[in-house]
Amino acid sequence: MASVDNRGGFGGKIAAILAAAGSAIGLGNIWRFPYITNENGGGAFILIYLACIILLGLPLLIAEFSVGHNSKCNPVDAYSKIRKGWGWLGAMGLVSVFLIMGYYFVISGWTLDYAISSATNAISDGYFQEFTTSTWSPLIYTYIFVLLTHFIIIGGVQGGIEKASKLMMPLLFAIIIALAVYSLWQPEGRAAASGVFTPDFSKVSGQTFLDAIGQAFFTLSIGMGAMLIYGSYFKKGTKIAGTAISVVALDTLVAITAAIIIFSAGVEDVQGSELAFVAMPKVFSTMPAGEVWATLFFLLLGLAALSSTISMHEAVTSYFVEKRNMSRKKAAWLVTFGAMALATTASLSLGMWSDVTILGMNIFDTLDTFTGKFMLPILGIMTAIFVGWIWKKEDMKAELTAEGGIDKATYPFVRFLLKWVCPVLVSIVFVFGVIDFIDKL
Ligand code: PHE
């Protein structure tokens, strides 16, 4: 294990918040949240989602930060340092985050192409289908995106991740605010958005709860080691609970603002993942200075994705550095090549290799479904069990209530959520989700 002292860390509190918010805010907020909200009854889904974020997401985020902050280790060593024999939980998170990288980098690559093609007005009807199923262009953009991530990672925690976050996050906030103001400027925009936000409880089913929990965990990067490794880089004196609350607040604001932007464009009848890449360019093409807005929108998507992919990459890289004693550069290349290889199969599975299927799904959808429907809930349940039941009670309490942690009056409530509410609730919803999944096969 590499020594704890020379592993680097964030310079201060703002850096900690921006980096962690960067991990949280990603394609999950801008690409996924709007279409899931739309499919699940709009405002009705948002209410359930907010409950999941506050009752499950926030305590789990505090838990994961605490495990990292307490152990100052990579995800595998962190769990085994706190309780011998639990390193597998960290390893399971890393395997999952690696699988997520497999398809996440592909979508991230699309955002680059879309930002460029929007600027030159090259996006016409059918572009999405044609582009994503072709062989070379999506692959090249995917590789560029992996390399962008790579070079930030080898810059180190402060010189790479912190610097990039401090640069990208303010830019991201500026773009999203500009887009939101523009969208709400028009009366039709306001009307369209409020239509989607009006709760429709008839669309709420058991599946809605599974989607809400899955979305809450995905958007907060729960259980994957990404938040754990960032927690391990928090400087002494960084307030864990305060940081977690800031991250949750920023993440939720961005998700809801992204939904407003997309729905005010009047695209509420577009289904699924096509919302951002198919419906939005159509809307932009009818707007004055549409190229500018479209380019900004895809730049926003790309920035959000990049600040997330660096946290995924860092979680896995830190393992090879600290556990396998590699240099940071070598470890980063290993992860980079691994991610490129997996992303290649995911990208090709939309075109050339579309007949390679697992349970009827192509590789891209398999990676998404397996991590989202199975790994995320299991990791959430296990993280809650670890902190609530396995971590020695006094040590856990000392870490969670340490200076800057949760105050003594709120602590029992957070502990109750982690010990009982998270494991029980997520397990119930998970079992129903699996039954439903098997039924649909
Ligand atoms: N939270 C990111 C998003 O919403 C995705 C992510 C998952 C990041 C797991 C890191 C780890 O897009």
Side-chain angles (χ1 to χ4, degrees), residues 327-407:
S327 70
R328 189 171 177 87
K329 218 169 172 175
K330 203 166 153 199
W333 275 120
L334 187 70
V335 177
T336 293
F337 283 128
M340 278 182 173
L342 189 62
T344 303
T345 65
S347 183
L348 292 179
S349 79
L350 299 177
M352 218 161 85
W353 293 355
S354 59
D355 24 306
V356 182
T357 57
I358 304 161
L359 297 175
M361 293 177 291
N362 61 30
I363 299 172
F364 188 102
D365 292 339
T366 306
L367 291 171
D368 180 15
T369 307
F370 177 70
T371 52
K373 279 207 167 32
F374 296 95
M375 297 311 286
L376 264 179
I378 293 175
L379 285 165
I381 296 168
M382 293 317 297
T383 307
I385 290 180
F386 182 84
V387 175
W389 297 89
I390 307 295
W391 197 345
K392 219 163 127 211
K393 201 174 147 191
E394 305 79 61
D395 295 351
M396 190 275 254
K397 183 169 180 186
E399 170 64 41
L400 263 69
T401 58
E403 195 211 336
I406 307 162
D407 62 69

Side-chain angles (χ1 to χ4, degrees), residues 20-30 32 96-97 100 103-104 215 217-227 251 304-305 307-309 311-313 376:
S23 172
I25 298 168
L27 297 172
N29 303 59
I30 303 168
R32 207 159 175 266
S96 308
V97 86
I100 290 183
Y103 74 89
Y104 205 94
Q215 176 62 20
F217 287 3
F218 185 80
T219 192
L220 293 178
S221 319
I222 298 288
M224 305 277 169
M227 289 301 191
D251 183 79
S307 61
S308 295
T309 55
S311 72
M312 302 180 189
H313 197 301
L376 264 179

Side-chain angles (χ1 to χ4, degrees), residues 146-338:
V146 181
L147 289 175
L148 279 176
T149 308
H150 175 87
F151 288 112
I152 294 173
I153 292 299
I154 58 173
V157 180
Q158 247 187 333
I161 301 173
E162 175 171 335
K163 233 182 175 164
S165 308
K166 282 184 168 164
L167 207 83
M168 295 194 299
M169 298 312 286
L171 190 59
L172 184 150
F173 295 136
I175 297 181
I176 198 164
I177 291 170
L179 285 168
V181 169
Y182 182 81
S183 315
L184 291 178
W185 202 259
Q186 283 100 343
E188 319 88 71
R190 286 197 291 273
S194 74
V196 180
F197 281 97
T198 309
D200 177 0
F201 286 99
S202 70
K203 280 197 188 156
V204 172
S205 66
Q207 187 63 34
T208 311
F209 288 88
L210 185 66
D211 283 348
I213 290 181
Q215 176 62 20
F217 287 3
F218 185 80
T219 192
L220 293 178
S221 319
I222 298 288
M224 305 277 169
M227 289 301 191
L228 189 156
I229 196 70
Y230 278 5
S232 82
Y233 296 144
F234 287 175
K235 200 176 163 181
K236 206 169 170 265
T238 302
K239 299 189 178 357
I240 300 255
T243 308
I245 292 172
S246 306
V247 169
V248 166
L250 287 171
D251 183 79
T252 307
L253 271 176
V254 168
I256 293 184
T257 314
I260 292 177
I261 294 170
I262 290 188
F263 297 137
S264 65
V267 290
E268 63 273 21
D269 37 293
V270 184
Q271 289 297 311
S273 53
E274 310 234 307
L275 206 51
F277 289 97
V278 179
M280 289 307 282
K282 263 197 199 135
V283 175
F284 288 127
S285 69
T286 64
M287 286 172 14
E291 313 89 287
V292 178
W293 296 109
T295 309
L296 277 181
F297 177 77
F298 289 108
L299 208 62
L300 169 73
L301 214 50
L303 277 175
L306 185 57
S307 61
S308 295
T309 55
I310 55 180
S311 72
M312 302 180 189
H313 197 301
E314 177 64 21
V316 188
T317 299
S318 72
Y319 164 80
F320 288 108
V321 174
E322 293 178 4
K323 186 99 185 156
R324 304 270 162 210
N325 268 320
M326 285 184 192
S327 70
R328 189 171 177 87
K329 218 169 172 175
K330 203 166 153 199
W333 275 120
L334 187 70
V335 177
T336 293
F337 283 128

